[in-house]
Amino acid sequence: MNDLVKQFLPMFIETARDRLKKAEALAISNETKALADELHAFAGEAGVLGLFSLAARARDAETFARSLKPNYAGPDCQEHVEQLSLLVAELTPQS
Amino acid sequence: MSAKSILIVDDSLLFLSIIKSALEQAGYTIEVASGPEALSCLDQEVTFDMVLMDVQMPEAFGDDIANVMRNAYGLAIPIYLLSSLADSELSLRVNEAGIDGYISKNIGFEAIVARVEEILAGSDPAPVNANSTEATH
């Protein structure tokens, strides 16, 4: 089964980068629901691949985004997304 | 005996690819859909043994689709939500949709496969709590 992690980790990283780039834009434009949905998808993809800590951080960020008013994300949301981006940057595909 | 067949519904292509591969390695035949068009899969001649359904999708909530499968289509096979939502919310949605249960995405694909095997083997223990399977990565 670890072969699956090796197989899908590069795709996960690529997808995660895209999602977080989109999430960053949504945080800046204060689209909190769409931001939360993006973080939710990210959490699910990290969770199924067994990246449990990353998934937990994404769920925390999603919960925070859902707690906000519909049209105001604020700087804390951007901070959450930046932290997730740093964690994704630390992932290295296994050889 | 032919392989058991599972319909998986999720809007994430990455998620579908991972869980499809994991379940196929475990010997299951998998069909996937990315939203409400999953209902059209039920009109085909393929007979499924189980449905795994994401909840938050752009075009519809998975529990609503599952409800239609169970109550309008009369689908009597196990229908489970497969989501990273909190256990308490999933439990509520399962009850409201009148379906069989849920599996958390947060437990990783190996545990998801094990849970599917338990369900299709006829034993159905309580849902695995994601908090009890914390990170090894």
Side-chain angles (χ1 to χ4, degrees):
Chain A
M1 283 293 201
N2 278 335
D3 286 347
L4 283 184
V5 178
K6 287 181 188 173
Q7 179 185 342
F8 285 107
L9 188 59
M11 196 186 304
F12 170 79
I13 292 171
E14 186 181 340
T15 303
R17 285 176 180 151
D18 289 345
R19 286 200 185 283
L20 291 172
K21 198 171 176 180
K22 191 174 172 186
E24 188 179 6
L26 291 166
I28 290 169
S29 60
N30 293 314
E31 296 173 72
T32 49
K33 186 191 177 301
L35 169 63
D37 289 346
E38 203 65 37
L39 293 168
H40 178 79
F42 176 93
E45 289 162 354
V48 74
L49 206 52
L51 304 170
F52 300 123
S53 297
L54 188 57
R57 291 290 293 270
R59 287 198 302 279
D60 288 346
E62 177 198 352
T63 300
F64 180 74
R66 291 200 194 283
S67 74
L68 297 169
K69 292 177 182 174
N71 296 311
Y72 179 69
D76 287 345
C77 254
Q78 293 174 45
E79 177 67 22
H80 274 292
V81 174
E82 284 171 18
Q83 290 298 319
L84 288 170
S85 296
L86 289 173
L87 291 172
V88 169
E90 291 173 4
L91 292 174
T92 306
Q94 298 168 29
S95 57
Chain B
M1 188 176 148
S2 62
K4 289 190 174 176
S5 180
I6 302 171
L7 173 62
I8 308 174
V9 187
D10 199 299
D11 62 306
S12 165
L13 293 179
L14 174 60
F15 179 85
L16 282 176
S17 298
I18 296 168
I19 201 64
K20 181 174 187 282
S21 295
L23 286 165
E24 283 178 344
Q25 280 191 5
Y28 296 101
T29 299
I30 305 299
E31 182 134 355
V32 298
S34 60
E37 79 276 13
L39 293 171
S40 65
C41 296
L42 303 180
D43 295 330
Q44 299 169 7
E45 290 187 2
V46 179
T47 304
F48 297 105
D49 297 288
M50 183 180 198
V51 175
L52 295 173
M53 179 76 67
D54 185 26
V55 174
Q56 291 193 303
M57 294 180 279
E59 295 177 29
F61 286 111
D63 42 325
D64 289 338
I65 303 172
N67 182 299
V68 170
M69 286 179 169
R70 173 59 41 90
N71 295 305
Y73 283 69
L75 199 64
I77 60 173
I79 305 175
Y80 278 70
L81 299 181
L82 180 56
S83 169
S84 59
L85 288 172
D87 288 0
S88 56
E89 181 168 354
L90 287 172
S91 185
L92 192 66
R93 286 174 181 268
V94 162
N95 287 335
E96 287 179 350
I99 56 175
D100 299 278
Y102 68 88
I103 303 174
S104 173
K105 286 182 179 178
N106 304 327
I107 60 176
F109 63 81
E110 289 173 314
I112 292 172
V113 170
R115 182 104 169 83
V116 167
E117 286 173 338
E118 287 170 353
I119 293 164
L120 288 176
S123 64
D124 185 11
V128 175
N129 185 333
N131 294 329
S132 68
T133 55
E134 189 44 47
T136 55
H137 293 268

